[in-house]
Amino acid sequence: MGQALSDENSRQATHEELTRELATRFAEKCFTSLELYSFKDVFKSLADNQGDIRYLKEDTLARFLEIPDILHVSPVIFQMVSYIGAFPFLQDAPAVLGIDQMIMVIVIMTQRHKRVLAKGATDRAKLLFKSLAVHDRRASEAAAAAEDSKEAPPNEPKAASHALGFAVDEPVDEPEEDDDDLEIAAFELLDIHDAIWQGDAPKMQGAMIPADNFRKLLMLLILIAPLSPQESLSMYSTRVTGDELESLRATAENILAAFLNVEKAPGIKFGHFNRVLPVCFPNLFNGFSPLFEHFLFSKNLDFTKHKGEDPVAAEKQPEEVVQPLLQDTAEILNLNVLSQLSFFLPGSDLFRRLRLLYSGNEDGFSTGSFESKVFNWRAPTILLVRGTRLNDAPHGSQESNFAASIPPRRFPNSGKGERLTFGVYVSQPWKHTAKECFGERDTVLFQLEPVHDVFPASKYNSDYIAFTKAPTNRPMLGVGCPHPRQTQAHRRQTMLSLGAVSLLLDDSFEFGVFTHDWTTGGGAFQTSTTRKFDFQDRFEIESLEVWGCGGDEEAKAQAEHWAWEHREAEARRKINLGSGDIEADRALLEMAGLVGNNQSGGSMI
């Protein structure tokens, strides 16, 4: 009887009352008392009044978050938060951004909803898609047709690119479920009946994110990727001017190309969005957390000021110098590419943690320079290589020799664009390989330009990294390639083998080739989630960089080891024995403590 009465009262509650109840629970579970006080103070200082209603406007929100006007992304952000503010009654969107609605926005955008709602980790992506999507039947039909053509190789019919597999393997445009588990979890928390929330909310079918809106949003996400909760976005104002702005746009275009072909499709459908995001961009929206946590820090609550302190004198105190996001400068890796890497690699290992170990343009394009600069680093590394696409017919003897060292071309180029950038994340220290490859399951092969793509490691094939040298092996650096067989000098050298999904650089670091054999289903690395066709890109290397990931301890250990090696080499160089007696010379070196058991010091590894 009591339960029936409770259900009846719940059904009679209005959306506004239920939203207030959910906002109260969110505030209690997701905010500290100080954060809640700060939020109320910030909202009070920003809100406009219309009668008894206090709310935030678009320009107020953009000004508080310090979103650069040059990005023209403020309307996109306001559309998002107005939709999320209606949570869980999304059929009521767009919502007026009152204090209860802003609690919904902040909790969801900062991912604090996981503390209260079950199944919150994956469902926010669907909610964010809905908040960005528009519903246009004609445009969505065009997007569906373009998505089919996008998965076919360029200049070839789809059927000719690969052999047909089982029917279950064929991509099917299945209708997406309209129920959102995040909403259902909220209704379960409120203990209300389905009838109270069923309404005319827009369906997923026919919904898509306009390409131009998503491009603007990507530029903002690249900008805020390294942001911390108390950092001001205005700190990065120099990144939205001149050449920096052009670089930001170019990086956003490379990322956008992973979601759609802008020349053929007007927008992104949820099916493709949901396939690409977990593999290529698991951290894409992480920057929203520190951005919207700005609402939880009130400037009126500054605990750094002491009682009785002169406010004018306090303002004149110099600000703390912030460590740069990237200490070294190079040709491939810049701040925008660094943010791009953070979308699929942990940002805690990247921002203010990368050090340039090797640059081909500075240290020389040779395996010897690579070894001397990289092999002593005992923490994870990121290798980046950039080059220009080669024509089908080789030009010159060096290019012809490279073409002869690998199997004949079987696949077409991946598409348009002359400049290509690939990379690999390696968690283990680099080393020479004699018989088998090295690397772990967390090794990641990826492409950054002209299309962002990520190829995770396979658990069935461990041919991750091969770094061979003469005379026992044919010299090469291979990622995803089978390890070359050991050869003898008098034997004829055979061709290098290319893996199904692989990157190979020749021994002089002059040429490279990336292979994507989608038909075979991958090898040491999985095939692309976006480009479901066979392709191969051969390129002439322009830049090659290796960056060390880690903190000060790794950098200090490497610096000490390099210094020790330099001292030992210098000491050996200064000793001019010249006796001709090898045993006597060695005995003298041992007495000096430079070699053998009497050697002073030791390896720092």
Side-chain angles (χ1 to χ4, degrees):
M1 179 69 179
Q3 180 65 38
L5 183 61
S6 175
D7 289 343
E8 183 178 353
N9 291 336
S10 296
R11 285 193 293 271
Q12 292 175 351
T14 64
H15 286 191
E16 183 179 358
E17 293 169 341
L18 292 170
T19 298
R20 184 173 296 112
E21 180 182 348
L22 183 60
T24 301
R25 296 197 186 189
F26 273 178
E28 292 174 350
K29 299 291 185 180
C30 302
F31 299 153
T32 65
S33 57
L34 184 60
E35 287 175 335
L36 183 58
Y37 181 88
S38 297
F39 166 69
K40 291 180 178 179
D41 185 67
V42 170
F43 183 85
K44 181 180 178 181
S45 65
L46 297 177
D48 284 89
N49 296 327
Q50 186 171 351
D52 296 333
I53 301 176
R54 299 175 65 85
Y55 64 98
L56 298 186
K57 298 190 299 185
E58 177 183 328
D59 59 340
T60 304
L61 186 70
R63 187 172 62 253
F64 175 75
L65 296 178
E66 299 180 316
I67 297 175
D69 294 336
I70 192 67
L71 300 183
H72 305 292
V73 72
S74 297
V76 180
I77 295 297
F78 192 72
Q79 174 188 328
M80 289 185 67
V81 298
S82 297
Y83 185 91
I84 296 173
F87 183 84
F89 304 103
L90 300 179
Q91 66 268 29
D92 296 340
V96 176
L97 296 179
I99 191 167
D100 293 334
Q101 288 72 27
M102 284 304 300
I103 289 177
M104 303 293 183
V105 170
I106 296 169
V107 167
I108 292 174
M109 295 298 259
T110 60
Q111 304 186 74
R112 298 186 179 207
H113 62 280
K114 298 177 184 179
R115 305 177 186 178
V116 181
L117 303 180
K119 305 177 183 178
T122 59
D123 301 323
R124 192 181 74 145
K126 181 182 286 189
L127 181 61
L128 293 178
F129 177 88
K130 289 182 176 181
S131 70
L132 291 164
V134 298
H135 293 76
D136 185 307
R137 184 174 59 85
R138 289 180 300 176
S140 62
E141 289 174 354
E147 185 172 323
D148 292 337
S149 63
K150 180 182 185 296
E151 295 181 352
N155 303 323
E156 286 194 12
K158 183 176 181 179
S161 65
H162 60 274
L164 293 177
F166 295 101
V168 71
D169 296 326
E170 288 298 303
V172 179
D173 190 13
E174 298 178 352
E176 301 292 340
E177 295 182 2
D178 292 313
D179 291 340
D180 194 320
D181 292 338
L182 202 59
E183 299 165 53
I184 295 174
F187 295 128
E188 291 175 349
L189 181 67
L190 293 172
D191 193 23
I192 59 178
H193 192 270
D194 289 355
I196 196 69
W197 59 273
Q198 289 176 348
D200 297 326
K203 302 296 183 182
M204 292 294 291
Q205 288 183 331
M208 68 172 188
I209 303 176
D212 191 52
N213 285 3
F214 200 63
R215 180 186 293 107
K216 296 172 183 176
L217 182 65
L218 286 174
M219 294 176 68
L220 177 64
L221 291 172
I222 294 169
L223 196 63
I224 66 176
L227 196 68
S228 67
Q230 297 192 53
E231 279 184 340
S232 171
L233 190 54
S234 60
M235 292 173 52
Y236 305 139
S237 59
T238 57
R239 294 179 56 187
V240 291
T241 59
D243 293 340
E244 291 289 332
L245 180 60
E246 292 304 314
S247 173
L248 180 63
R249 286 198 179 104
T251 305
E253 287 294 339
N254 296 334
I255 296 174
L256 182 63
F259 289 95
L260 82 165
N261 186 334
V262 294
E263 296 180 355
K264 298 181 179 179
I268 307 166
K269 294 185 66 179
F270 179 72
H272 196 71
F273 179 87
N274 201 36
R275 286 196 300 270
V276 173
L277 202 66
V279 178
C280 297
F281 306 100
N283 310 324
L284 181 63
F285 297 109
N286 285 4
F288 279 145
S289 294
L291 182 66
F292 280 87
E293 281 185 1
H294 282 69
F295 281 99
L296 306 180
F297 296 94
S298 172
K299 293 182 179 180
N300 295 328
L301 297 176
D302 190 351
F303 295 104
T304 61
K305 296 180 181 179
H306 301 285
K307 187 175 181 180
E309 184 179 15
D310 184 4
V312 177
E315 290 181 1
K316 292 183 179 180
Q317 292 180 356
E319 296 183 359
E320 182 181 355
V321 178
V322 180
Q323 183 181 355
L325 297 173
L326 194 61
Q327 296 184 5
D328 303 307
T329 58
E331 296 188 1
I332 302 178
L333 188 62
N334 55 33
L335 294 180
N336 297 320
V337 175
L338 182 62
S339 293
Q340 185 179 0
L341 291 174
S342 74
F343 291 155
F344 62 95
L345 297 175
S348 57
D349 294 338
L350 301 176
F351 299 117
R352 303 183 177 93
R353 288 293 181 267
L354 290 185
R355 288 168 174 80
L356 182 61
L357 305 180
Y358 166 80
S359 171
N361 290 319
E362 294 182 3
D363 303 315
F365 289 92
S366 69
T367 55
S369 297
F370 187 100
E371 177 183 352
S372 65
K373 296 293 185 180
V374 177
F375 276 34
N376 291 329
W377 184 260
R378 315 312 298 172
T381 53
I382 297 175
L383 179 147
L384 300 174
V385 58
R386 172 176 290 168
T388 304
R389 194 193 306 274
L390 296 175
N391 296 323
D392 292 338
H395 295 281
S397 59
Q398 292 177 322
E399 188 176 332
S400 298
N401 291 337
F402 172 70
S405 68
I406 59 178
R409 178 190 290 273
R410 296 188 296 125
F411 305 136
N413 293 331
S414 60
K416 298 180 179 179
E418 292 299 316
R419 195 164 73 169
L420 306 166
T421 302
F422 299 96
V424 59
Y425 170 84
V426 184
S427 61
Q428 288 188 333
W430 285 79
K431 62 182 180 181
H432 286 297
T433 57
K435 295 182 179 180
E436 59 183 18
C437 301
F438 72 93
E440 297 290 344
R441 278 286 312 279
D442 56 359
T443 306
V444 182
L445 178 62
F446 55 87
Q447 182 174 0
L448 300 178
E449 186 183 19
V451 179
H452 179 109
D453 213 337
V454 176
F455 312 93
S458 169
K459 60 182 179 181
Y460 303 110
N461 186 328
S462 59
D463 292 334
Y464 299 133
I465 309 292
F467 196 105
T468 60
K469 65 176 182 178
T472 55
N473 293 108
R474 184 163 187 172
M476 53 86 80
L477 193 163
V479 181
C481 298
H483 196 281
R485 295 182 179 180
Q486 289 186 336
T487 61
Q488 296 181 1
H490 65 275
R491 291 184 179 179
R492 181 183 177 184
Q493 291 184 335
T494 58
M495 284 187 180
L496 295 171
S497 298
L498 302 179
V501 179
S502 63
L503 174 68
L504 182 140
L505 309 182
D506 68 351
D507 60 330
S508 62
F509 293 155
E510 188 173 3
F511 300 102
V513 55
F514 181 85
T515 303
H516 181 260
D517 188 350
W518 186 79
T519 303
T520 61
F525 295 92
Q526 301 174 28
T527 55
S528 171
T529 58
T530 61
R531 295 177 287 179
K532 299 182 179 181
F533 56 89
D534 304 329
F535 64 87
Q536 185 181 88
D537 288 324
R538 302 183 180 191
F539 55 94
E540 182 178 5
I541 297 175
E542 297 176 351
S543 303
L544 179 63
E545 300 169 4
V546 179
W547 294 80
C549 309
D552 296 333
E553 293 184 3
E554 288 82 2
K556 182 180 179 181
Q558 186 188 37
E560 290 177 350
H561 184 75
W562 280 343
W564 176 83
E565 284 189 336
H566 178 74
R567 289 195 304 269
E568 294 295 295
E570 187 69 14
R572 289 186 176 92
R573 187 184 65 81
K574 289 181 178 179
I575 296 179
N576 185 13
L577 300 175
S579 65
D581 188 340
I582 297 177
E583 293 299 328
D585 290 348
R586 179 172 179 82
L588 185 58
L589 288 172
E590 288 180 352
M591 292 174 60
L594 297 178
V595 299
N597 296 330
N598 296 326
Q599 184 177 4
S600 62
S603 174
M604 301 301 294
I605 298 179

mmCIF file of all heavy atoms in Angstrom, residues 23 166 201 206 212 226 240 250 269 326 332 359 426 430 439:
data_model
loop_
_atom_site.group_PDB
_atom_site.id
_atom_site.type_symbol
_atom_site.label_atom_id
_atom_site.label_comp_id
_atom_site.label_asym_id
_atom_site.label_seq_id
_atom_site.Cartn_x
_atom_site.Cartn_y
_atom_site.Cartn_z
ATOM 1 N N ALA A 23 19.453 17.130 -9.013
ATOM 2 C CA ALA A 23 20.538 18.101 -8.848
ATOM 3 C C ALA A 23 21.020 18.130 -7.404
ATOM 4 O O ALA A 23 22.226 18.246 -7.138
ATOM 5 C CB ALA A 23 20.067 19.487 -9.284
ATOM 6 N N PHE A 166 32.637 -13.844 -44.708
ATOM 7 C CA PHE A 166 31.324 -14.326 -44.327
ATOM 8 C C PHE A 166 30.348 -13.159 -44.225
ATOM 9 O O PHE A 166 30.722 -12.021 -43.998
ATOM 10 C CB PHE A 166 31.405 -15.056 -42.982
ATOM 11 C CG PHE A 166 32.242 -16.300 -43.042
ATOM 12 C CD1 PHE A 166 33.542 -16.285 -42.572
ATOM 13 C CD2 PHE A 166 31.748 -17.469 -43.584
ATOM 14 C CE1 PHE A 166 34.328 -17.428 -42.622
ATOM 15 C CE2 PHE A 166 32.519 -18.611 -43.638
ATOM 16 C CZ PHE A 166 33.820 -18.590 -43.162
ATOM 17 N N ALA A 201 11.605 12.948 -27.239
ATOM 18 C CA ALA A 201 13.025 13.245 -27.399
ATOM 19 C C ALA A 201 13.485 12.824 -28.784
ATOM 20 O O ALA A 201 13.015 11.822 -29.322
ATOM 21 C CB ALA A 201 13.843 12.510 -26.335
ATOM 22 N N GLY A 206 18.906 9.295 -37.990
ATOM 23 C CA GLY A 206 18.775 10.577 -38.667
ATOM 24 C C GLY A 206 19.560 11.688 -38.018
ATOM 25 O O GLY A 206 19.628 12.791 -38.555
ATOM 26 N N ASP A 212 31.268 21.090 -39.819
ATOM 27 C CA ASP A 212 31.862 22.377 -39.454
ATOM 28 C C ASP A 212 31.808 22.599 -37.945
ATOM 29 O O ASP A 212 32.760 23.116 -37.352
ATOM 30 C CB ASP A 212 31.144 23.507 -40.187
ATOM 31 C CG ASP A 212 31.886 24.830 -40.058
ATOM 32 O OD1 ASP A 212 33.094 24.861 -40.346
ATOM 33 O OD2 ASP A 212 31.256 25.825 -39.656
ATOM 34 N N PRO A 226 45.743 20.073 -22.439
ATOM 35 C CA PRO A 226 46.677 20.079 -21.303
ATOM 36 C C PRO A 226 46.214 20.909 -20.116
ATOM 37 O O PRO A 226 46.955 21.058 -19.140
ATOM 38 C CB PRO A 226 47.937 20.701 -21.916
ATOM 39 C CG PRO A 226 47.416 21.646 -22.946
ATOM 40 C CD PRO A 226 46.160 21.026 -23.486
ATOM 41 N N VAL A 240 46.462 30.738 -30.786
ATOM 42 C CA VAL A 240 45.336 30.987 -31.690
ATOM 43 C C VAL A 240 45.594 32.228 -32.539
ATOM 44 O O VAL A 240 44.664 32.957 -32.901
ATOM 45 C CB VAL A 240 44.011 31.126 -30.906
ATOM 46 C CG1 VAL A 240 43.598 29.795 -30.316
ATOM 47 C CG2 VAL A 240 44.124 32.180 -29.805
ATOM 48 N N ALA A 250 45.110 22.736 -39.030
ATOM 49 C CA ALA A 250 45.596 21.564 -39.762
ATOM 50 C C ALA A 250 45.478 20.300 -38.917
ATOM 51 O O ALA A 250 45.075 19.237 -39.418
ATOM 52 C CB ALA A 250 47.045 21.785 -40.191
ATOM 53 N N LYS A 269 27.637 10.416 -38.337
ATOM 54 C CA LYS A 269 26.565 9.619 -37.754
ATOM 55 C C LYS A 269 27.064 8.903 -36.508
ATOM 56 O O LYS A 269 28.261 8.664 -36.345
ATOM 57 C CB LYS A 269 26.044 8.607 -38.773
ATOM 58 C CG LYS A 269 25.357 9.245 -39.978
ATOM 59 C CD LYS A 269 24.754 8.192 -40.880
ATOM 60 C CE LYS A 269 23.613 7.465 -40.188
ATOM 61 N NZ LYS A 269 22.989 6.441 -41.053
ATOM 62 N N LEU A 326 56.074 21.625 -23.508
ATOM 63 C CA LEU A 326 57.061 20.911 -24.316
ATOM 64 C C LEU A 326 58.372 21.680 -24.224
ATOM 65 O O LEU A 326 58.471 22.808 -24.700
ATOM 66 C CB LEU A 326 56.579 20.819 -25.766
ATOM 67 C CG LEU A 326 57.288 19.836 -26.690
ATOM 68 C CD1 LEU A 326 57.143 18.406 -26.177
ATOM 69 C CD2 LEU A 326 56.726 19.937 -28.101
ATOM 70 N N ILE A 332 58.486 17.800 -36.082
ATOM 71 C CA ILE A 332 57.220 17.059 -36.139
ATOM 72 C C ILE A 332 56.347 17.391 -34.942
ATOM 73 O O ILE A 332 55.197 17.813 -35.088
ATOM 74 C CB ILE A 332 57.475 15.538 -36.198
ATOM 75 C CG1 ILE A 332 58.334 15.170 -37.401
ATOM 76 C CG2 ILE A 332 56.140 14.792 -36.253
ATOM 77 C CD1 ILE A 332 58.665 13.686 -37.489
ATOM 78 N N SER A 359 66.908 13.390 -33.035
ATOM 79 C CA SER A 359 66.346 14.074 -34.191
ATOM 80 C C SER A 359 67.253 13.806 -35.377
ATOM 81 O O SER A 359 68.451 14.122 -35.335
ATOM 82 C CB SER A 359 66.230 15.582 -33.941
ATOM 83 O OG SER A 359 65.884 16.265 -35.135
ATOM 84 N N VAL A 426 56.359 2.956 -27.639
ATOM 85 C CA VAL A 426 57.068 1.759 -27.176
ATOM 86 C C VAL A 426 57.320 1.904 -25.681
ATOM 87 O O VAL A 426 57.976 2.857 -25.248
ATOM 88 C CB VAL A 426 58.406 1.577 -27.928
ATOM 89 C CG1 VAL A 426 59.079 0.274 -27.508
ATOM 90 C CG2 VAL A 426 58.186 1.602 -29.433
ATOM 91 N N TRP A 430 64.631 0.507 -26.045
ATOM 92 C CA TRP A 430 65.032 0.032 -27.368
ATOM 93 C C TRP A 430 66.285 -0.839 -27.257
ATOM 94 O O TRP A 430 67.128 -0.637 -26.386
ATOM 95 C CB TRP A 430 65.309 1.213 -28.292
ATOM 96 C CG TRP A 430 64.070 1.887 -28.780
ATOM 97 C CD1 TRP A 430 63.297 2.778 -28.093
ATOM 98 C CD2 TRP A 430 63.452 1.716 -30.053
ATOM 99 N NE1 TRP A 430 62.232 3.176 -28.860
ATOM 100 C CE2 TRP A 430 62.301 2.539 -30.076
ATOM 101 C CE3 TRP A 430 63.751 0.956 -31.181
ATOM 102 C CZ2 TRP A 430 61.461 2.623 -31.184
ATOM 103 C CZ3 TRP A 430 62.918 1.035 -32.283
ATOM 104 C CH2 TRP A 430 61.787 1.856 -32.279
ATOM 105 N N GLY A 439 58.885 -5.813 -27.397
ATOM 106 C CA GLY A 439 57.695 -4.987 -27.228
ATOM 107 C C GLY A 439 56.633 -5.710 -26.427
ATOM 108 O O GLY A 439 56.675 -6.935 -26.255
#
